[in-house]
Amino acid sequence: MPRLDSPAALETLRQRLIAARAFWPVRLILSSGTCGQASGSLAVLAALRQRLDRPDLRDSVHVRVTGCQGFCDQEPLLIVDPLDVAYCRVKPQDIEEIVSQTLLEGRVVERLLYVDPRSGARVRREADIPFFAKQDRALISKNRWVDPCNVGDYIAAGGYSALAAVLSWFAPQRVIEEIRASGLRGRGGAGYPTGKKWEQCRNAPGEHRYVICNADEGDPGAYMDRGLLEGNPHLILEGMLIGAYAVGSEQGFVYVRNEYPLAVQNVRVAIEQAREMGLLGRNILGTNFSFDVKVARGGGAFVCGESTALMASLEGKVGEPRVKDVHTVERGYLDQPSLLNNVETWANVPDIIRRGPAWFAARGTETSKGSKIFALTGQVKNTGLVEVRMGTTLREIIFDIGGGPRDGKGIKAVQTGGPSGGCLPVSLFDLPVDFEALAEAGSMMGSGGMVVVDESVCMVDFAKYFLKFLQDESCGKCVPCRVGIGRMHEILTDFCEGRGTMAQLAVLEELAWTVQNASLCALGKTAPNPVLSTLRYFRDEYLAHVEERHCPAGVCKALIRYEIDDALCVRCGECIAVCPHGAIQEGETYVIDNAVCQKCGICEDACAPEAIRRTRGLVHA
Amino acid sequence: MDLSQLEGIVQGRGSDPFDIMEVLQDIQAAYHYLPEEVLCRVSETMGVPLIEVFRLANFYKAFTLKPRGQHLITVCMGTACHVRNSPRFLDEVRRRLKVEPGGTTQDGEFTLETVNCLGACALAPVVIMDGKYYEHMTPAKLGSLLGAVRVQEGRPLAHA
Amino acid sequence: MPKLVSMIVDGATVRAPAGSSVLEAALEAGICIPNLCHMPGVHALGACRVCLVEVIPVAGSGRTRLTTSCTLEAREGLVVTAHSPNAVRARRNIVELLLAEAPNSRAIQDLAVRVGVRAVRYPMRNKNCVLCGRCVRVCDEVWQSKSLGFVGRGSDCHVALPFNTRPSTCKRCNTCVDVCPMTVTPCPGPQKAPAICGLCESQCSMAQNTPDTCVWCELGRGFQCARWQMRGLKAGIR
């Protein structure tokens, strides 16, 4: 790729790339992000390349390998472009049929199409798949058009035109005004007005300014940022460039969590390519503006998603937050003004510049503009990355897009906002998803994690899970978080093991207040949310555990036992064969010896007539 | 202790405050853990106080101060995996291999670790064995997972 | 001449250099704000959270918030209270947690009495460190030895030497031991039962009637409240 010495040179290159792409008669698009690869996309790619390595196909079929396209449940997804056919869950052995039938004869391979579970009909086009129909995929749809390791794709799709416009015609202050007018709020969870943050950074006194992309995405169950960074790293770089220009920064960082090796790799490649072309480095596009970006890999610490901890980590120290009476936008990395924004926030910037703030503000609600990507996971049929306008209801997301419950059991709640958020019951599913509505109900939208929970989940155990997570991830500096969360976990463990008392319930609530109000950083302050929200909406489950020593969902091992229903048992012996503990006795009837049973559940899974079930355990008060 | 790899890792680094983290990550990748001797040398060469190096090594989960086993099993304990019963799977691994998360089996074969979300939630519960992702894991599938390792190496199954 | 600013702390007007610690300014003015990890001469950590104050927003600009007075910088017009119901409630709960962690620490026992902890609602543990960070900071900032530090994360966090070996940078000054709130010999009071004996109360009865005024109590003999330390430092004593 040539070095571009002016915005005009970029335009010329863009037209050339678009023209070149128009000559490819057939385009195959294969989704191959982390989950695509985990589902075998690399083997599919290898089979594809091998099959296409023939004189008649080599030059007429172009294969574009993209990042995650969002419908993770159906990956690897293979789209045949001119025919607009989307094949799901493709395997290497399907390639022969796809090439010979679809590519060479123009016929669709019916069995590989998506089946709409409600109508039973097969769906041919990606856009018609119900999962995509209700979404507003402003950001995630871009992944379809780019191979993350090919900057040409990004430019051909309009990339870096916003940067060129900014450098050609916008004064830095105007850029800030556009972002303010759009109403964009931080996508990392706190929802701070982005334009206001940029303004504060620009005005803060300091010799150097830094622009940082928070790609730490520690919330378990959230991977929106991975999807964006892996699949379209140039989008984030362009956003950062525009931000750097607006606040007057010359150095930026992308802090990526350690558990995303593909994202780290793709961002590094993108940075190299951008540098080669003069889109990063000194005198970008021949102007006075200079900016460069370094990638920093996290060491594996959830707390490093917090701004002060992230910057401490960038400084080569442990990720311990500091008291935030003075915000990082004034005193951040190396005590200098630092502009820290989330991956998705940066990703929204180029379109706001290109399409104008009014376009962005026209979507969403009064206080929450634009679209938001959610990672819809858990006990829902269609798991994946879902992008919707702010204000879409939980019901629409979980049922219309998500397809409803996965395993046929009733949906009980949805957990949003990761460990900082809370659980909302089905009765609240008509709430619109935005920054304010969910927070008022006792949860928060957070960075986008949305875990659907069905009847098989015990809410007390679920709250305990979050406390354990936070206990592990706490930096350990302050008393309320290090000790308080531990004591809350201790109490919930007592509940789940049949030792709970009502007095402890009162102590739990008092502790929750203390940890929420007295902790040093947001990790501690939001830690009680899962407990508080489950106490608010699922108090009956807590009372069952404490007063009756009963786990309604049948999860807490100390409160359940496994039992074989003799009427349904067909004496196949499968359970005895698979039981790792030798707990099932064969006789006239099959009986589980409770003294030996470890409640691993393997027998329950293996029993075809479903004769094994969980009942109340024999716990003495 | 072979310190020859260390020179290449440390060379040219030290001007950026974050370099120490990059160095530690590269050492972890090269040696599969952070040996004490290597860390002392890093402290001297890069001028970072030993206590600071030691703190970094202990704070971040990516680093281990003890050698790892031949095979690394990482069980994801993220929220999506949790609601699809990853704790049951973890319990089965602990029972079968007689090892706790963070530890290595007696014969040095397997190291078990947990991670709080890999971002592959559609495949929950997810387990990584030697860098390869395994999806929708249940206790019943553990046997074949362990067996896969043995098949690759052409050895008989020990942990049946 | 540093610029002096005027603040209101617990209803009293306090003047202090701009940017200085609200906690130190308050202590100097004779206002009692209990504290544990604070130590003059080293940077404020805000880790124990005992010195919490409630910051009252000026001109109706929002909610009140709790923050540590040791890290709060003095500025013109700041209004805080260390003894509002919220601050007292938070402080009491925190000290109760500390007492359940380390019931055998004389300093923490006295702190518990001072802030009004009447009962401990958790099973008692018996730690010998509450991670106040005094030893770490004094080694790093006063002696510039950097020989020990907080190692590990969350509940595993503990004070340690690198690889549990005394490094060559250690000057063997023993200051880490001197400043530790755990090293004062605990009183002979009955700590075997998981309850507070209440005997210390007899020494601090005045203190309960005037929670927000310093009564020059001898909290934790040998480990004195920062007000004693500051007085000592100024007068050249100690």
Side-chain angles (χ1 to χ4, degrees):
Chain A
M1 281 290 180
R3 194 179 170 83
L4 303 167
D5 57 6
S6 67
L10 172 64
E11 262 324 291
T12 311
L13 175 64
R14 189 192 320 283
Q15 296 311 321
R16 229 183 61 219
L17 291 168
I18 291 174
R21 276 154 178 71
F23 275 108
W24 290 323
V26 181
R27 286 172 292 279
L28 292 177
I29 301 165
L30 176 69
S31 60
S32 190
T34 299
C35 28
Q37 289 187 20
S39 297
S41 61
L42 293 177
V44 170
L45 183 61
L48 195 55
R49 291 216 196 281
Q50 198 190 41
R51 183 61 181 82
L52 294 175
D53 190 23
R54 297 210 196 150
D56 58 332
L57 294 168
R58 207 179 291 136
D59 294 321
S60 56
V61 181
H62 173 73
V63 178
R64 183 190 305 144
V65 183
T66 70
C68 188
Q69 295 208 32
F71 203 174
C72 311
D73 209 53
Q74 300 289 320
E75 297 217 342
L77 207 63
L78 182 64
I79 300 173
V80 184
D81 206 1
L83 289 170
D84 204 4
V85 179
Y87 290 130
C88 304
R89 293 193 180 150
V90 176
K91 304 241 172 311
Q93 50 266 40
D94 298 326
I95 293 301
E96 181 52 51
E97 225 173 316
I98 293 174
V99 173
S100 53
Q101 282 193 38
T102 311
L103 291 193
L104 296 176
E105 292 175 22
R107 287 187 296 127
V108 172
V109 181
E110 293 280 323
R111 67 175 178 82
L112 291 173
L113 291 178
Y114 177 75
V115 179
D116 183 344
R118 269 177 287 194
S119 63
R122 291 201 178 267
V123 182
R124 174 186 159 134
R125 295 171 63 226
E126 191 189 17
D128 293 335
I129 295 176
F131 177 75
F132 294 116
K134 277 207 166 182
Q135 297 188 39
D136 181 345
R137 295 167 41 95
L139 292 176
I140 201 76
S141 61
K142 293 179 197 285
N143 280 13
R144 187 201 214 253
W145 302 104
V146 298
D147 173 337
C149 299
N150 185 339
V151 64
D153 279 352
Y154 185 66
I155 294 175
Y160 290 114
S161 61
L163 174 67
V166 160
L167 293 179
S168 304
W169 303 308
F170 289 41
Q173 194 55 44
R174 178 166 165 207
V175 177
I176 295 178
E177 272 156 30
E178 299 266 298
I179 301 296
R180 278 196 103 128
S182 73
L184 176 65
R185 289 168 68 173
R187 295 294 194 250
Y192 192 80
T194 309
K196 190 168 165 193
K197 193 188 261 194
W198 288 24
E199 178 92 52
Q200 284 168 341
C201 184
R202 185 173 174 77
N203 295 338
E207 214 189 307
H208 299 285
R209 246 147 268 275
Y210 297 97
V211 160
I212 307 174
C213 172
N214 187 344
D216 195 56
E217 194 163 57
D219 279 0
Y223 59 102
M224 308 70 56
D225 294 347
R226 172 175 76 62
L228 284 174
L229 203 56
E230 254 177 27
N232 201 350
H234 284 285
L235 181 63
I236 282 84
L237 291 177
E238 189 176 359
M240 289 174 74
L241 276 156
I242 293 169
Y245 175 77
V247 303
S249 161
E250 288 198 350
Q251 179 65 53
F253 298 94
V254 179
Y255 186 93
V256 191
R257 66 192 295 241
N258 190 270
E259 294 87 336
Y260 288 170
L262 191 56
V264 171
Q265 194 183 306
N266 290 358
V267 177
R268 284 196 168 139
V269 167
I271 290 174
E272 270 317 303
Q273 291 178 345
R275 277 188 192 142
E276 265 175 32
M277 298 181 69
L279 290 162
L280 274 178
R282 305 221 55 82
N283 302 111
I284 292 170
L285 290 180
T287 65
N288 293 343
F289 174 54
S290 301
F291 178 68
D292 206 350
V293 178
K294 281 193 205 174
V295 175
R297 259 182 312 166
F302 169 77
V303 69
C304 285
E306 195 272 349
S307 62
T308 58
L310 190 156
M311 294 186 201
S313 184
L314 262 184
E315 290 175 21
K317 303 179 194 153
V318 295
E320 264 178 15
R322 60 159 174 80
V323 175
K324 214 151 65 170
D325 287 323
V326 177
H327 287 268
T328 49
V329 82
E330 284 177 49
R331 250 188 265 155
Y333 177 67
L334 297 178
D335 274 345
Q336 299 294 305
S338 305
L339 179 60
L340 177 74
N341 274 130
N342 170 266
V343 169
E344 198 180 337
T345 312
W346 288 120
N348 272 298
V349 170
D351 268 355
I352 290 174
I353 300 293
R354 261 183 1 154
R355 301 172 74 160
W359 161 80
F360 191 81
R363 300 145 68 228
T365 67
E366 191 57 47
T367 55
S368 310
K369 302 293 183 193
S371 58
K372 177 81 188 78
I373 305 178
F374 293 94
L376 185 64
T377 63
Q379 276 128 356
V380 69
K381 276 213 182 65
N382 303 328
T383 47
L385 295 179
V386 171
E387 187 175 356
V388 292
R389 294 195 176 191
M390 296 275 204
T392 307
T393 66
L394 287 166
R395 193 178 301 282
E396 283 173 286
I397 297 172
I398 295 168
F399 287 92
D400 297 344
I401 298 173
R406 185 183 189 82
D407 296 325
K409 301 193 181 99
I411 289 181
K412 189 152 79 166
V414 68
Q415 204 280 334
T416 61
S420 308
C423 299
L424 295 174
V426 182
S427 55
L428 293 179
F429 276 15
D430 289 309
L431 279 176
V433 178
D434 73 1
F435 288 105
E436 272 64 50
L438 298 191
E440 271 158 30
S443 179
M444 67 191 270
M445 193 175 69
S447 66
M450 200 176 267
V451 185
V452 177
V453 156
D454 72 15
E455 288 159 354
S456 70
V457 171
C458 168
M459 301 314 277
V460 183
D461 173 74
F462 200 35
K464 182 161 75 89
Y465 158 81
F466 282 113
L467 288 177
K468 173 81 170 47
F469 172 84
L470 291 164
Q471 217 187 349
D472 282 344
E473 297 292 344
S474 161
C475 78
K477 186 152 95 167
C478 79
V479 174
C481 179
R482 184 184 75 244
V483 182
I485 294 179
R487 291 296 188 179
M488 288 175 78
H489 184 262
E490 201 176 60
I491 291 173
L492 285 189
T493 304
D494 280 347
F495 288 2
C496 293
E497 291 181 5
R499 292 184 300 267
T501 65
M502 288 306 288
Q504 276 179 310
L505 201 52
V507 175
L508 182 67
E509 289 176 310
E510 185 67 8
L511 259 179
W513 181 91
T514 306
V515 175
Q516 200 172 47
N517 286 285
S519 292
L520 190 152
C521 82
L523 186 154
K525 290 190 176 138
T526 57
N529 285 350
V531 172
L532 288 171
S533 62
T534 48
L535 274 172
R536 180 170 168 181
Y537 297 113
F538 300 96
R539 202 174 183 89
D540 54 310
E541 286 195 40
Y542 280 87
L543 293 175
H545 281 71
V546 173
E547 293 179 322
E548 297 167 51
R549 308 274 186 268
H550 170 49
C551 175
V555 169
C556 298
K557 287 188 178 178
L559 306 180
I560 59 168
R561 63 192 165 87
Y562 280 79
E563 190 174 75
I564 300 177
D565 184 346
D566 202 49
L568 297 170
C569 174
V570 299
R571 308 204 186 352
C572 63
E574 198 47 43
C575 55
I576 296 177
V578 298
C579 174
H581 311 280
I584 308 181
Q585 288 150 6
E586 184 175 2
E588 240 187 60
T589 55
Y590 283 19
V591 175
I592 297 177
D593 183 351
N594 285 298
V596 180
C597 172
Q598 298 296 309
K599 298 166 194 159
C600 65
I602 293 181
C603 59
E604 191 183 17
D605 288 343
C607 179
E610 293 184 13
I612 302 183
R613 55 160 190 263
R614 288 172 254 165
T615 65
R616 282 182 76 148
L618 307 162
V619 178
H620 301 288
Chain B
M1 169 73 23
D2 173 21
L3 294 173
S4 58
Q5 295 184 72
L6 183 56
E7 237 207 83
I9 292 172
V10 177
Q11 192 165 53
R13 282 169 156 165
S15 56
D16 191 294
F18 194 73
D19 281 348
I20 181 68
M21 280 290 283
E22 295 284 346
V23 165
L24 292 179
Q25 298 200 26
D26 286 350
I27 293 172
Q28 176 76 33
Y31 291 85
H32 304 295
Y33 75 113
L34 300 181
E36 180 176 338
E37 208 187 314
V38 174
L39 293 190
C40 290
R41 192 63 76 86
V42 167
S43 165
E44 277 166 48
T45 328
M46 294 185 73
V48 177
L50 187 59
I51 185 64
E52 285 307 314
V53 177
F54 189 61
R55 291 186 75 201
L56 291 172
N58 276 277
F59 184 89
Y60 293 104
K61 268 196 119 177
F63 304 136
T64 46
L65 288 161
K66 284 180 288 195
R68 281 194 172 131
Q70 293 223 3
H71 304 285
L72 177 63
I73 302 179
T74 307
V75 180
C76 182
M77 301 298 283
T79 314
C81 289
H82 180 89
V83 303
R84 288 199 201 163
N85 290 315
S86 58
R88 263 188 12 182
F89 178 81
L90 182 68
D91 280 347
E92 189 56 19
V93 177
R94 287 166 58 217
R95 190 201 67 83
R96 189 90 75 96
L97 297 180
K98 297 193 195 359
V99 69
E100 289 300 308
T104 302
T105 53
Q106 283 273 45
D107 56 8
E109 187 84 54
F110 293 103
T111 293
L112 174 64
E113 280 182 9
T114 58
V115 69
N116 283 328
C117 194
L118 293 161
C121 315
L123 311 169
V126 179
V127 171
I128 304 184
M129 162 85 96
D130 293 339
K132 201 166 157 228
Y133 284 62
Y134 291 85
E135 49 179 24
H136 306 309
M137 290 304 287
T138 63
K141 288 186 182 175
L142 177 58
S144 44
L145 176 70
L146 297 176
V149 170
R150 292 309 190 314
V151 165
Q152 271 167 32
E153 298 178 350
R155 287 187 289 126
L157 289 112
H159 297 280
Chain C
M1 174 72 185
K3 178 179 152 207
L4 289 181
V5 294
S6 229
M7 316 177 276
I8 304 201
V9 182
D10 276 6
T13 305
V14 175
R15 276 159 58 85
S20 63
S21 151
V22 168
L23 174 64
E24 287 192 346
L27 291 174
E28 272 207 42
I31 299 167
C32 174
I33 303 184
N35 56 86
L36 179 63
C37 72
H38 175 73
M39 207 167 75
V42 297
H43 89 275
L45 207 53
C48 71
R49 319 300 291 167
V50 174
C51 71
L52 285 174
V53 293
E54 195 166 1
V55 179
I56 317 292
V58 197
S61 57
R63 297 166 301 187
T64 65
R65 64 186 178 98
L66 287 172
T67 191
T68 42
S69 48
C70 60
T71 51
L72 187 59
E73 290 176 11
R75 62 166 197 276
E76 185 64 40
L78 183 64
V79 179
V80 303
T81 157
H83 291 91
S84 64
N86 280 339
V88 169
R89 179 181 175 192
R91 187 174 306 121
R92 210 168 270 167
N93 286 335
I94 288 164
V95 176
E96 180 190 355
L97 284 171
L98 279 168
L99 196 58
E101 288 297 285
N104 284 314
S105 156
R106 175 68 192 272
I108 293 178
Q109 288 169 20
D110 288 342
L111 205 51
V113 172
R114 187 79 182 96
V115 307
V117 175
R118 290 278 163 267
V120 173
R121 296 167 291 181
Y122 314 101
M124 296 279 202
R125 296 174 183 159
N126 195 10
K127 303 267 173 76
N128 55 13
C129 174
V130 289
L131 291 124
C132 69
R134 288 170 148 236
C135 56
V136 171
R137 283 174 290 160
V138 87
C139 181
D140 184 3
E141 296 169 43
V142 175
W143 290 102
Q144 298 185 357
S145 292
K146 292 192 196 287
S147 298
L148 72 173
F150 284 155
V151 170
R153 217 163 70 186
S155 34
D156 286 338
C157 192
H158 59 287
V159 174
L161 302 160
F163 297 100
N164 303 314
T165 318
R166 204 189 274 254
S168 53
T169 48
C170 171
K171 295 182 168 80
R172 284 155 173 74
C173 65
N174 244 32
T175 313
C176 50
V177 175
D178 283 346
V179 299
C180 176
M182 302 295 153
T183 57
V184 178
T185 312
C187 72
Q191 273 305 312
K192 290 181 189 71
I196 305 175
C197 72
L199 289 180
C200 301
E201 280 195 48
S202 57
Q203 299 189 36
C204 288
S205 55
M206 261 311 288
Q208 274 179 68
N209 300 331
T210 53
D212 53 349
T213 309
C214 173
V215 294
W216 287 115
C217 66
E218 297 275 345
L219 279 192
R221 194 175 283 274
F223 164 84
Q224 290 148 344
C225 159
R227 191 160 191 229
W228 276 99
Q229 293 173 50
M230 280 155 51
R231 185 173 100 157
L233 282 173
K234 283 194 173 144
I237 305 164
R238 197 169 149 79

